[in-house]
């Protein structure tokens, strides 16, 4: 059966050039302290939280990763809503400013699985795939 209702338009978050530059510098150093400085200076920027979550997962700290990823996820939801998202519809991975939110969603799924929150892990993984299958494929 074909869905006759139109798909909502893709949501494209605005770029944050200053935060992107700070994250690139932090990534070059690769330290948790550098990522923390990005999150502290740009708390609404999901990219900083995503980097912290990925770093914590790599360090075997799933509870810390869960906290970072959840923060970035919620800050990303706020940004999406401010930019016209109504709770559903595409959030394209190909649009670089969306990637911080999508990375947080992926890390939240992984961290939730590691701490035994199977329902949360599955919900986040499905939300990621529903947002953009390319994001799920790129991050898996």
């Amino acid at each position: 059966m074909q869905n006759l209702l139109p798909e909502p338009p893709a949501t494209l978050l605005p770029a944050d050039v200053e935060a992107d530059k700070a994250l690139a510098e932090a990534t070059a150093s690769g330290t948790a302290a550098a990522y923390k400085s990005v999150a502290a200076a740009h708390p609404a920027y999901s990219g900083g939280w995503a980097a912290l979550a990925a770093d914590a997962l790599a360090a075997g700290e799933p509870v810390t990763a869960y906290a970072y990823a959840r923060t970035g996820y919620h800050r990303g939801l706020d940004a999406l809503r401010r930019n016209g998202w109504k709770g559903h519809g595409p959030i394209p991975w190909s649009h670089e400013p969306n990637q911080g939110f999508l990375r947080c969603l992926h890390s939240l799924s992984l961290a939730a699985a590691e701490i035994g929150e199977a329902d949360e892990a599955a919900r986040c993984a499905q939300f990621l795939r529903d947002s953009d299958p390319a994001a799920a494929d790129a991050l898996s």
Side-chain angles (χ1 to χ4, degrees):
M1 179 181 341
Q2 180 181 7
N3 183 353
L4 299 177
L5 295 174
E7 180 78 17
T11 302
L12 305 176
L13 293 173
D16 186 333
V17 175
E18 187 178 316
D20 288 340
K21 181 180 178 208
L23 182 57
E25 291 169 1
T27 301
S29 81
T31 67
Y35 296 134
K36 287 176 184 177
S37 70
V38 174
H42 307 279
Y45 177 67
S46 290
W49 297 107
L52 280 167
D55 188 61
L57 281 169
E61 299 175 6
V63 172
T64 301
Y66 185 92
Y68 288 142
R70 179 150 301 278
T71 300
Y73 164 80
H74 281 287
R75 297 310 295 257
L77 287 176
D78 292 344
L80 288 166
R81 289 182 187 115
R82 279 192 308 275
N83 286 278
W85 188 70
K86 304 286 189 232
H88 66 286
I91 305 168
W93 171 256
S94 61
H95 182 66
E96 194 169 330
N98 290 352
Q99 290 182 10
F101 169 76
L102 296 167
R103 288 180 187 282
C104 283
L105 190 52
H106 175 68
S107 290
L108 185 56
S109 177
L110 296 176
E114 285 194 37
I115 64 173
E117 288 286 329
D119 290 345
E120 175 84 347
R123 183 187 68 77
C124 290
Q126 187 60 55
F127 185 9
L128 181 64
R129 184 150 299 282
D130 291 346
S131 296
D132 187 349
D137 293 343
L139 294 168
S140 296

